[in-house]
Amino acid sequence: TPIVVTSNSERQHINRLQSAKWAAWKGVPRIIWRLEIGGELAAHLPSRVRERIYVEFPQFTGSFVHGAPGYLRSNNNPVRGLSNGTAVLFENIELDPREDADRVCNDIATAAEDTNVALTYPPLHINVAVPGANAADFVEKTLGPGRVVIPVPRVSKWEPVNIKLPGRRQADTFHYRPHGVEQRFAVTVHKIQGQTCNKVILQLNKRSFMPHLTFSMLYVALSRVRT
């Protein structure tokens, strides 16, 4: 059941927390990796500032937990049911060829509960199952016989993030390149438009930041459920 929020910041922080809880509930490790920080100042960031960005801005850290809910971020193939917002389930990942696969497999096999397994490089693909797609349309394209499993690469364009660094008067723009799939523990009001859900959880807490929850946002969220 998605938690409907007003901002990407809320969504990203909730997804990071809930993915860890999902891994603990399922008794599996969470696989994480750091995305490159791009931008004019990126190459000159002190190590302590770089670490602070990774801690405070979840979008710079990718994560994978088997079976976790997600949604596609773009219109991959609308004719075959692969559109922006299509619900998916995280299936597995394809490691970067530079990755030490033996080390990763050993870390996964020996990891305790509530443990993160860190990759050195972002995976080439996050493979996702698409429960709502017609398997007959993907006979020669699926990675899983009898069902629809597709690879999702990283997006081609760098996405901006405004960050206020210590000692600077204004925020600077940095960039990152995520995969074309998002976790669906939390979803913004904007992203959930047009979707139909059995249930939603509405984040009604008073916000000290923009955007505040408006009546139109509330109406959109409430109208996503059948009853």
Side-chain angles (χ1 to χ4, degrees):
T1 303
I3 302 171
V4 183
V5 297
T6 63
S7 69
N8 281 318
S9 177
E10 285 177 289
R11 174 181 62 80
Q12 289 153 355
H13 281 284
I14 291 173
N15 279 337
R16 178 163 65 179
L17 293 171
Q18 291 297 94
S19 68
K21 290 184 177 182
W22 178 278
W25 177 47
K26 291 292 186 179
V28 296
R30 181 174 62 165
I31 300 174
I32 64 171
W33 56 88
R34 286 183 169 183
L35 297 169
E36 179 185 356
I37 300 175
E40 294 182 3
L41 297 178
H44 308 289
L45 287 175
S47 58
R48 59 181 178 80
V49 176
R50 185 178 297 273
E51 287 298 317
R52 176 180 170 182
I53 290 176
Y54 281 120
V55 170
E56 296 184 7
F57 295 87
Q59 55 265 55
F60 288 97
T61 302
S63 69
F64 170 88
V65 183
H66 175 71
Y71 61 86
L72 299 179
R73 303 177 71 246
S74 59
N75 294 317
N76 298 45
N77 194 329
V79 175
R80 300 193 180 193
L82 305 180
S83 303
N84 186 358
T86 295
V88 299
L89 299 174
F90 282 63
E91 183 77 7
N92 52 51
I93 59 174
E94 180 184 350
L95 296 178
D96 187 288
R98 298 170 293 176
E99 195 73 59
D100 185 347
D102 290 338
R103 190 272 301 174
V104 173
C105 290
N106 181 69
D107 287 351
I108 292 174
T110 59
E113 292 186 9
D114 300 330
T115 300
N116 291 328
V117 172
L119 301 181
T120 306
Y121 306 97
L124 289 185
H125 298 97
I126 296 177
N127 299 326
V128 298
V130 191
N134 185 0
D137 293 335
F138 294 85
V139 174
E140 297 181 355
K141 298 178 174 62
T142 180
L143 301 176
R147 57 201 186 102
V148 179
V149 179
I150 61 170
V152 181
R154 293 170 68 188
V155 299
S156 58
K157 294 183 179 180
W158 291 80
E159 300 189 0
V161 182
N162 293 324
I163 298 176
K164 179 70 167 57
L165 296 177
R168 295 182 68 85
R169 294 183 178 179
Q170 298 181 338
D172 294 290
T173 301
F174 294 88
H175 298 83
Y176 70 108
R177 281 182 56 222
H179 286 79
V181 60
E182 289 275 2
Q183 293 176 355
R184 196 172 183 263
F185 297 108
V187 184
T188 62
V189 173
H190 175 74
K191 179 63 70 172
I192 207 169
Q193 291 187 75
Q195 298 185 35
T196 301
C197 305
N198 292 322
K199 297 177 183 179
V200 295
I201 298 172
L202 304 186
Q203 173 66 290
L204 300 179
N205 293 335
K206 184 176 180 180
R207 293 164 170 82
S208 59
F209 51 85
M210 297 294 288
H212 298 303
L213 185 67
T214 64
F215 177 78
S216 60
M217 290 181 179
L218 180 64
Y219 177 80
V220 168
L222 289 172
S223 62
R224 295 309 92 203
V225 293
R226 295 180 173 88
T227 58

